[in-house]
Amino acid sequence: MTPVVSPAGGTTVAQRIAQALPRLTRSHRQVADHVLAHPLQVATLPIDELAATVGVSVATANRFARALGFEGYATFRAELVRGFEPLLAPVEQLRGNLAQPSTVAEVFATALEESHRNIEATRRALDHGACEVAVQSVRDANTIYIVGYGASAWLAGLLQHGLDAYCPDVRLLPGVGGVTHGARTLSRGKPGDLLVAIGFPRYLTDTVTLAGIARAQGVRVLALTDKPSSPLAPLADVALYAQTGTRYRPNCETSALAVIEALTSAVALCTPGAFQLAGKVVESVMPWLHGGQGLRETSRTSQDP
């Protein structure tokens, strides 16, 4: 069960429920059971939604909070939120934004403006020395492992796709086997290899754990994350940061994707024979490109003696 937490040194909500349990009414116990089973969900609910979910009146939900020693439901919910602030921030922000009337066109415009703003902020804060080290680390690596879970798994796949044409051995750790498959693959990592770890709020422990394992094995770690306080930053030999603030989602992935595209472009620029390698990739996929069959025939004809 998820702990129902409070600030360090304070009494947890779960402890308050346990202390008050002998004197709680049947309906209050009904609310208490729901709070203990779904603390994160309850922390996001206004009183009317909690009452409707549990099947009690708003007055009963308010009296339940008072029975635990709070002034009312608002202070009870504020105490419950404290321990989940990093997780709940995007949810609370979305709730506030949805409460403000907006048209579909306004949401489109806002989202596009956020993407532009995040990319520009990322560009301004770019550490050019870190970029050089990151590209050199990719070029020097014998094997490149790429990890990212949740939304970052899609970014990891795009990075693997971008590097595959220029690096001899690029392995994507997220897959149908889950994190244990990733750990098993990474267990073969050694000095001279590179792990690219991608993680943004809300950071997933799977990615952080695998980055720690890689570092312990002497595998260099390149982190793609949002800020130096990210749990990936202290595990990384080099880090590239992308600004990801947004009103409607936990993260704006546009800026992270822009950093990935910049990294793969720089690797291509610094790779000897990059043009020939790119040409081989195009030739290999030509049968599946619209109009590619004609190009293939032209290529064959031009090569005939």
Side-chain angles (χ1 to χ4, degrees), residues 122 152 155 196-204 207-208 222-236 238-244 251 255-256 259-260:
T122 299
S152 293
L155 295 172
V196 184
I198 307 174
F200 295 90
R202 296 157 283 189
Y203 314 101
L204 294 185
T207 304
V208 178
L222 164 59
L224 301 184
T225 189
D226 63 318
K227 53 184 178 292
S229 59
S230 161
L232 288 174
L235 298 171
V238 59
L240 299 178
Y241 299 112
Q243 303 297 313
T244 60
N251 289 290
S255 53
V259 171
I260 286 172

Side-chain angles (χ1 to χ4, degrees), residues 127-173:
D127 183 334
H128 297 288
C131 294
E132 294 280 354
V133 174
V135 171
Q136 194 62 47
S137 297
V138 170
R139 290 190 59 201
D140 291 344
N142 297 320
T143 298
I144 300 171
Y145 302 95
I146 302 176
V147 63
Y149 290 99
S152 293
W154 305 102
L155 295 172
L158 290 169
L159 177 59
Q160 192 271 343
H161 176 73
L163 293 180
D164 187 59
Y166 309 106
C167 304
D169 190 4
V170 185
R171 305 184 188 185
L172 187 64
L173 298 187

Side-chain angles (χ1 to χ4, degrees), residues 52-117:
T53 300
V54 179
V56 299
S57 67
V58 170
T60 295
N62 203 40
R63 286 195 294 268
F64 163 76
R66 289 177 179 171
L68 299 185
F70 296 102
E71 293 181 2
Y73 183 80
T75 53
F76 157 75
R77 181 169 173 261
E79 187 71 10
L80 196 57
V81 163
R82 289 178 192 265
F84 294 111
E85 283 175 345
L87 299 178
L88 292 177
V91 178
E92 291 299 301
Q93 182 170 291
L94 178 60
R95 183 189 295 277
N97 291 330
L98 292 178
Q100 302 173 9
S102 297
T103 65
V104 169
E106 289 171 341
V107 173
F108 265 75
T110 299
L112 290 171
E113 175 57 31
E114 284 178 344
S115 293
H116 173 76
R117 187 167 58 250

